[in-house]
Amino acid sequence: MSERKVLNKYYPPDFDPSKIPKLKLPKDRQYVVRLMAPFNMRCKTCGEYIYKGKKFNARKETVQNELYLGLPIFRFYIKCTRCLAEITFKTDPENTDYAMEHGATRNFQAEKLIEEEEKKIQQEREEEELNNPMKVLENRTRDSKLEMEVLENLQELKELNQRQAQVDFEGMLDKYKEMERRQRERELEEDERETKEMLERALVKRLRDSDSEEETKDQSRKHVADNPTDILTTDRSTGPQGSSSVGVKKQKVESWERSVGGLGVKGALGSLVKRKKPADSACKPAAAAPRQTTDTQTDHSGAGAAQPESSKASNRQPVASQNGSSLSLLGAYTDSDDSNSD
C-alpha cells in the first residue's frame, strides 16, 4: 500500500496539464455552506427576531459584476426559523462588515449610522476645501477657536479641582453636625416652653372655674328667699347665719316697712280691725265675740310672733292661736265677724 499522507505525487515525464479536460460549471454556481448570522435581524414576514451567532445552512454565490479593489463580493441565502421566508445579505469589504439586502431588517444600527454620517460630513468638507481656498481658511480659524475654547475649559476644570483639593470636607461636615445639634436643642427648648405655658393656662383656668363656683354658691345662699313675702314668714331668730345674709334680710324688712308699714307693732292694724261689743245675755245667749289683742315683738331678723288673748264665751269656740304673721291674725278677725253676722 502506498502511504496515505503523501505530500508530493509522482508525475510522469510526459505529463501535460493542458490536456486535462475542464469541467464547464456556471459562473453563478451556488454552494451550501454552514455559517452564523453576522448581526441581529428581524424577519419582515413574521417579525421573528434572529440574534447574532445563530447557525444556518446557507447557500453561497458570487455576486456578478461587483468587485472592490479586485476582491469578489459574496451573497448568502438563509431561511427564517419560523416562517421559512428567504433572507439575503452580502459581504461589504469596504466597511469590513455585512450588508442586508432583503427579507429582514438589521437591528442596533445607531452607532453604524452615526459613523456613516460623520464620514459623509468629512467627505463633503474635503471636497469644498479642494475647490475653495477661502473655505480652507475659514475651517482652520473655526478649528483654532474650538481648540482654544477646549483648552480654556480644561484649565478651568484644573483650577476647580485644585480648589476642591484645598477644601476641608471633614471640617465642613463637623460644622454641619454642630448646626444640626443646636437646631435640635432649640426645638426641644421651644417644645418644653410651650408645654409649660399650656400647663399654666390650664391651672389658671381651673382656679377661675373653682372661684366662679364658690361665688355662685355664695349667691345661691344669699338669695334663698326669692319671693318678697317670704320675709314675713321667716323667723329672724332661726339661727346664727353669716353677717352678709343678716344684713340683706334687714334691708328687705326695712324696705317692706317703709312701703307697707310695720305689721308687728301694736296698733298697726287698729284701723282695719273692728272689735265686737258684747250684747245682753237675754237677747243673745250665745257667747260674745272673742276679744283679741295682738302683742307682737319685732326683732332685727324681720319675723315676729303674735300671741292672741281671747275671752271665752259660754257657747262660742275660742279662736285658735296664730303662730304666724299679723296678716294671718287679720284673716282670723274677719272670719269671726262673718260668723257673728250670720
Side-chain angles (χ1 to χ4, degrees), residues 45 57 108 189 194-195 207 240:
T45 306
N57 292 325
F108 309 110
E189 291 177 358
E194 288 179 358
T195 52
L207 292 174

Side-chain angles (χ1 to χ4, degrees), residues 159-339:
E159 292 177 356
L160 183 61
N161 290 332
Q162 290 177 358
R163 292 174 187 173
Q164 290 180 353
Q166 295 176 358
V167 173
D168 187 8
F169 293 102
E170 293 181 357
M172 292 176 65
L173 291 174
D174 293 337
K175 289 181 181 179
Y176 181 71
K177 289 179 181 178
E178 184 68 19
M179 290 174 63
E180 284 186 346
R181 186 178 62 78
R182 291 178 181 176
Q183 183 69 20
R184 197 179 301 108
E185 290 178 356
R186 195 180 299 111
E187 290 177 356
L188 290 173
E189 291 177 358
E190 290 179 357
D191 293 340
E192 290 178 358
R193 186 172 65 256
E194 288 179 358
T195 52
K196 286 181 181 179
E197 290 178 356
M198 290 174 68
L199 291 173
E200 289 176 357
R201 290 174 186 172
L203 182 59
V204 170
K205 187 177 180 182
R206 287 180 182 176
L207 292 174
R208 288 178 180 175
D209 293 341
S210 62
D211 294 340
S212 62
E213 288 178 359
E214 290 178 359
E215 289 177 358
T216 52
K217 286 181 181 179
D218 294 339
Q219 290 178 1
S220 63
R221 288 174 184 173
K222 290 178 183 178
H223 299 86
V224 173
D226 295 330
N227 297 324
T229 57
D230 292 341
I231 302 169
L232 301 175
T233 59
T234 55
D235 189 5
R236 294 186 180 181
S237 62
T238 53
Q241 292 183 357
S243 61
S244 61
S245 61
V246 172
V248 172
K249 288 182 179 180
K250 284 181 181 180
Q251 292 177 2
K252 289 183 178 180
V253 170
E254 289 175 358
S255 63
W256 177 264
E257 287 178 355
R258 283 196 300 270
S259 61
V260 177
L263 298 177
V265 184
K266 288 183 179 182
L269 298 174
S271 61
L272 298 175
V273 178
K274 184 179 181 182
R275 296 185 179 181
K276 195 74 174 179
K277 294 180 179 181
D280 297 350
S281 60
C283 297
K284 293 182 180 179
R291 295 175 62 189
Q292 294 181 354
T293 60
T294 60
D295 296 332
T296 60
Q297 296 178 359
T298 60
D299 54 1
H300 294 286
S301 62
Q307 299 291 335
E309 295 178 358
S310 61
S311 62
K312 295 184 181 180
S314 60
N315 293 327
R316 287 297 283 183
Q317 295 179 355
V319 178
S321 64
Q322 302 291 334
N323 293 325
S325 64
S326 300
L327 291 175
S328 60
L329 275 176
L330 179 60
Y333 274 107
T334 54
D335 291 340
S336 64
D337 292 341
D338 293 339
S339 62

Side-chain angles (χ1 to χ4, degrees), residues 36-41 52 63 66 68 71-76 88-101 106-116 119:
M36 292 187 294
F39 46 76
N40 297 318
M41 64 185 79
K52 181 179 179 180
V63 180
E66 285 189 19
Y68 176 73
L71 296 175
I73 295 173
F74 301 100
R75 183 182 288 115
F76 299 94
T88 62
F89 56 90
K90 62 182 180 179
T91 58
D92 187 8
E94 184 179 0
N95 299 317
T96 63
D97 198 2
Y98 291 85
M100 175 63 66
E101 282 191 327
R106 185 171 179 174
N107 299 333
F108 309 110
Q109 278 187 311
E111 187 176 356
K112 184 179 178 182
L113 293 174
I114 291 169
E115 291 177 356
E116 290 178 355
K119 287 180 181 179

Side-chain angles (χ1 to χ4, degrees), residues 15-34:
F15 176 74
D16 188 4
S18 61
K19 294 180 180 179
I20 299 172
K22 293 182 179 181
L23 296 173
K24 292 181 180 180
L25 298 175
K27 293 181 179 180
D28 56 351
R29 183 185 175 186
Q30 294 180 352
Y31 300 92
V32 177
V33 294
R34 182 79 171 170

